[in-house]
Short mmCIF file of all heavy atoms in Angstrom, two decimals:
data_model
loop_
_atom_site.label_atom_id
_atom_site.label_comp_id
_atom_site.label_asym_id
_atom_site.label_seq_id
_atom_site.Cartn_x
_atom_site.Cartn_y
_atom_site.Cartn_z
N PHE A 299 29.46 10.20 15.66
CA PHE A 299 30.62 9.90 16.50
C PHE A 299 30.50 8.66 17.15
O PHE A 299 31.40 7.87 17.22
CB PHE A 299 30.78 11.06 17.49
CG PHE A 299 31.50 12.31 16.93
CD1 PHE A 299 30.72 13.34 16.36
CD2 PHE A 299 32.80 12.45 16.96
CE1 PHE A 299 31.28 14.47 15.82
CE2 PHE A 299 33.46 13.53 16.40
CZ PHE A 299 32.67 14.56 15.89
N LEU A 300 29.27 8.41 17.72
CA LEU A 300 29.03 7.13 18.50
C LEU A 300 29.34 5.85 17.61
O LEU A 300 30.02 4.97 18.09
CB LEU A 300 27.70 7.10 19.08
CG LEU A 300 27.44 5.93 20.00
CD1 LEU A 300 28.09 6.07 21.29
CD2 LEU A 300 25.94 5.66 20.17
N GLN A 301 28.89 5.86 16.39
CA GLN A 301 28.98 4.68 15.55
C GLN A 301 30.39 4.46 15.15
O GLN A 301 30.89 3.36 15.06
CB GLN A 301 28.06 4.77 14.43
CG GLN A 301 26.58 4.50 14.76
CD GLN A 301 26.42 3.26 15.59
OE1 GLN A 301 26.93 2.22 15.23
NE2 GLN A 301 25.62 3.38 16.59
N ALA A 302 31.14 5.63 14.85
CA ALA A 302 32.59 5.51 14.55
C ALA A 302 33.28 4.90 15.67
O ALA A 302 34.11 4.00 15.55
CB ALA A 302 33.10 6.87 14.17
N PHE A 303 32.88 5.38 16.95
CA PHE A 303 33.55 4.88 18.12
C PHE A 303 33.24 3.47 18.35
O PHE A 303 34.13 2.61 18.64
CB PHE A 303 33.06 5.70 19.29
CG PHE A 303 33.32 5.08 20.67
CD1 PHE A 303 34.56 5.02 21.19
CD2 PHE A 303 32.24 4.52 21.37
CE1 PHE A 303 34.76 4.41 22.41
CE2 PHE A 303 32.46 4.00 22.64
CZ PHE A 303 33.74 3.89 23.13
N VAL A 304 31.99 3.07 18.21
CA VAL A 304 31.53 1.68 18.43
C VAL A 304 32.24 0.72 17.41
O VAL A 304 32.76 -0.35 17.84
CB VAL A 304 30.01 1.50 18.31
CG1 VAL A 304 29.60 0.04 18.18
CG2 VAL A 304 29.39 2.15 19.52
N PHE A 305 32.26 1.08 16.15
CA PHE A 305 32.95 0.26 15.12
C PHE A 305 34.42 -0.01 15.54
O PHE A 305 34.88 -1.10 15.51
CB PHE A 305 32.87 0.87 13.77
CG PHE A 305 33.28 -0.05 12.68
CD1 PHE A 305 32.34 -0.70 11.94
CD2 PHE A 305 34.63 -0.11 12.34
CE1 PHE A 305 32.72 -1.53 10.90
CE2 PHE A 305 35.03 -0.97 11.31
CZ PHE A 305 34.16 -1.71 10.59
N THR A 306 35.16 1.10 15.82
CA THR A 306 36.54 1.00 16.17
C THR A 306 36.73 0.23 17.49
O THR A 306 37.61 -0.65 17.62
CB THR A 306 37.14 2.35 16.30
OG1 THR A 306 36.64 3.23 15.28
CG2 THR A 306 38.64 2.31 16.09
N MET A 307 35.85 0.47 18.49
CA MET A 307 35.95 -0.17 19.81
C MET A 307 35.81 -1.63 19.64
O MET A 307 36.54 -2.47 20.14
CB MET A 307 34.91 0.43 20.69
CG MET A 307 35.03 -0.03 22.11
SD MET A 307 36.37 0.90 22.94
CE MET A 307 36.38 0.11 24.46
N LEU A 308 34.78 -2.05 18.86
CA LEU A 308 34.57 -3.47 18.73
C LEU A 308 35.61 -4.12 17.91
O LEU A 308 36.03 -5.28 18.19
CB LEU A 308 33.07 -3.69 18.05
CG LEU A 308 31.96 -3.42 18.98
CD1 LEU A 308 30.67 -3.57 18.21
CD2 LEU A 308 31.97 -4.25 20.20
N SER A 309 36.12 -3.43 16.87
CA SER A 309 37.28 -3.93 16.08
C SER A 309 38.45 -4.26 17.05
O SER A 309 39.00 -5.32 16.97
CB SER A 309 37.69 -2.93 15.04
OG SER A 309 36.72 -2.77 14.05
N SER A 310 38.76 -3.29 17.88
CA SER A 310 39.93 -3.57 18.76
C SER A 310 39.63 -4.58 19.69
O SER A 310 40.49 -5.42 20.10
CB SER A 310 40.32 -2.21 19.47
OG SER A 310 39.26 -1.78 20.39
#
Side-chain angles (χ1 to χ4, degrees):
Chain A
F299 279 90
L300 183 74
Q301 287 308 315
F303 164 72
V304 164
F305 189 97
T306 321
M307 188 74 186
L308 288 177
S309 292
S310 64

